[in-house]
Amino acid sequence: MSGLQGFLGKLDPQKSQQSQPSAVPGRLTTSSRGKGGKQKSKAIKGWEENEAGGDQQRDDQRADSNDNGAAMNNLKINDVLLSEPNINLENLKSSAWCGLPSSSRGEVWRLLLGYSPTNRGRREQVLERKRGEYWRAIEGCGLGGEGHDHPGITKTEQVLLRQILVDLPRTAPSIPLFHHPSLQLLLKRVLYLWSVRNPACSYVQGLNDLCCPFIWSFLEEYLQENNKTLTKGIDVSREIPKQILQQVESDTYWCLTSLLSSIQDHYTPNQPGLQKQVYTLSKIVERTDSDLYNHLQSHGVEFIQFAFKWCNCLLVREFDMYTICRLWDTHISEGGEGFSVFHVYTCAALLGRFSETIRGISDFGDLFQFLQGGMKDMTESWGEEEVSVLCSQAFVLKSLFQNSQAHLG
Amino acid sequence: MRLKVVLLGEGRVGKTSILFRYIRNEFQEKQQSTLQASYMDKKIKVGTTTAQLSVWDTAGQERFHALGPIYYRDADGALLVYDITDSESFTKVRKWVKELRKIVGGDINIVIAGNKIDLERNRQVEEKEVLEYAKSVGATHFYTSAKQNLGLEECFTDLATKMVQQNLTKLQGLAGGFQPKGGKSKLVVVDDTGEGKKSSGGGGCC
């Protein structure tokens, strides 16, 4: 399979270049931007110092293994790709497909999602303009100010705002970072603006989850630039300057907008795009793993009952933040079809990965529990290797089925 | 005997928390929003009958309202949850009752739960209004707190008792003392769990 060989070719470590990364325009930095090289060992050490509790050791290992796994792409992405006067997006995609180092992730996502321009000379100026545009839009839609009281908005908008406010405290419950008041405010504005600007979709529960990988990656980008690293319980008021938070917010908005533009019909009434994706998933599994398919069927479990969440939240709820960001590297590198097409093969690969476990469960309630949340207990220990395997399996499935829809009939 | 229960109510009134507390005795201050629906089951003994409660927890956002029928269509009972600190959430209960009575009639047993009774000081929903309303639609009303584990056993026991009685009546093909039609059946509510320890106003009202 030539496609698979092409994919394997991307893993060639010989292609890595040796040199120190330099400051890149548009990066999330304060005015003292451009401190030069990122020191991985210090970054990881930061974990040891900052992360408390029983998860510490595991998180250290996770951060370590994820970064090591992507290390071969690290220098290449920083020096060869990001410092070029004009970035070749295809090359960047093929490198990013295999996973990005967390220090470059924010920047590469901005580029691949078409928010940041490929022309290095224009980058800073364009981002500044877009960031300003976001803040003017926030003022314009009546959501300026720090409080939650916005008398200027219409009654319909108040209903929308109420729903968003209901969901904010329930965003990623296990990560205190997202519950800091300034991040709750950030989420509120991003979600509200997106919803009023996309009235055909408006706010749908779960969109709050989709903001998290962006916020996480952009904050991590800033911290690594300053030889620190992100922890789940980071003291936002102390560690993140207001100016950076504002950039993170506008970048999250624009990147979310870009991501969602390819899957708008996931969130329109009755969610037709999502329904179709779930249907395709069931067809793929029926073809590739009939034992699993029959097992689910015979126990009365319908795909929509668990895959709805997978497609609505793009798997954010099935993995922890490190792993989902790594998984999204691949999805975002797939271009406009990452979430609308490739995602369904990732879901199929994920089911395949746990096929044996699932087939070993014969009680409906237990099956439901596993598929609705129990899987996360098993993916928590995942590192780069497991994600790579998942992505390559999804790639193979896509190569087999995507252009042969008759096979799924 | 397998009995199907559906949890309905506005977003963030505590449907999922009620379920987790009742079935697993777990409570999380911050619970993720439920998308589509989730499921849990539990065995419960009503008199001499052991019933398997299959509880479907549904999404609260108005957007997902249309999914309701999938879950309540063949349900034996509905637990309608509102948040006592949020009057709009009680308005939503009225909507659900109307819809259930219209679509499935008296075949579905309804219990209303006023959740978050631990936040009594922030109460927005008038007790008198709630109790009168529940009575008028033939529903039992309980105050609950998933956080403090108050009223949940009573609430589910009451619902299960009604459902078991209804099922037994159906099975025996008797018109008997129980009228599952019409929504105002005179059911004897068995609540032997000691009402004294409960928060104010708990208990049946039929």
Side-chain angles (χ1 to χ4, degrees), chain A residues 162-163 166 169-170 173 179 201 203-205 267-268 271 304-305 308 312-313 317 364-365 368-369 372, chain B residues 10-12 24 30-41 56 59-61 63-64 86 88-89:
Chain A
R162 176 184 152 90
Q163 182 63 55
V166 155
R170 307 198 285 171
H179 303 123
C201 302
Y203 177 73
V204 177
Q205 288 188 313
Y267 305 101
T268 47
Q271 307 186 262
I304 193 80
Q305 290 166 341
F308 184 96
N312 195 78
C313 298
R317 291 194 186 181
F364 176 80
F368 218 91
Q369 283 303 303
Q372 279 236 323
Chain B
E10 219 199 10
R12 209 183 160 202
R24 291 203 199 154
K30 294 189 174 85
Q31 185 69 249
Q32 280 180 322
S33 56
T34 303
L35 301 172
Q36 179 83 0
S38 71
Y39 171 91
M40 279 191 182
D41 51 26
W56 287 90
Q61 189 183 2
R63 166 69 67 100
F64 299 110
D86 177 359
E88 275 189 52
S89 70

Side-chain angles (χ1 to χ4, degrees), chain B residues 41-123:
Chain B
D41 51 26
K42 178 171 174 142
K43 280 199 171 60
I44 183 169
K45 217 164 157 57
V46 178
T48 53
T49 311
T50 303
Q52 172 96 355
L53 286 189
S54 305
V55 190
W56 287 90
D57 177 22
T58 61
Q61 189 183 2
E62 185 62 29
R63 166 69 67 100
F64 299 110
H65 187 99
L67 295 170
I70 299 172
Y71 298 98
Y72 67 63
R73 211 174 34 213
D74 56 346
D76 302 282
L79 181 61
L80 308 186
V81 188
Y82 70 95
D83 172 356
I84 64 149
T85 69
D86 177 359
S87 54
E88 275 189 52
S89 70
F90 185 67
T91 311
K92 182 78 182 173
V93 166
R94 292 173 184 266
K95 273 194 198 169
W96 278 119
V97 170
K98 235 181 227 170
E99 180 170 333
L100 289 173
R101 290 302 182 217
K102 191 174 158 196
I103 313 276
V104 283
D107 280 348
I108 190 161
N109 297 286
I110 299 178
V111 168
I112 299 171
N115 196 35
K116 308 195 188 177
I117 193 65
D118 52 293
L119 300 174
E120 172 76 51
R121 63 186 182 283
N122 301 329
R123 177 194 278 274

Side-chain angles (χ1 to χ4, degrees), chain A residues 32-82:
Chain A
S32 61
R33 176 168 56 77
K35 295 254 170 64
K38 285 153 259 340
Q39 297 173 31
K40 274 280 143 7
S41 57
K42 270 197 187 173
I44 291 163
K45 200 162 161 245
W47 271 100
E48 288 159 7
E49 289 163 0
N50 292 325
E51 188 75 52
D55 290 341
Q56 181 185 321
Q57 199 180 358
R58 196 188 60 214
D59 281 344
D60 288 346
Q61 288 164 354
R62 306 283 320 287
D64 203 358
S65 90
N66 278 352
D67 268 7
N68 281 343
M72 58 189 157
N73 270 329
N74 188 4
L75 296 172
K76 181 172 148 190
I77 285 166
N78 270 310
D79 257 16
V80 177
L81 295 170
L82 299 184

Side-chain angles (χ1 to χ4, degrees), chain A residues 386-405:
Chain A
E386 287 85 354
V387 182
S388 286
V389 170
L390 186 77
C391 290
S392 46
Q393 281 167 345
F395 181 88
V396 171
L397 287 173
K398 185 185 165 212
S399 310
L400 285 172
F401 289 108
Q402 187 53 28
N403 295 316
S404 327
Q405 289 297 309

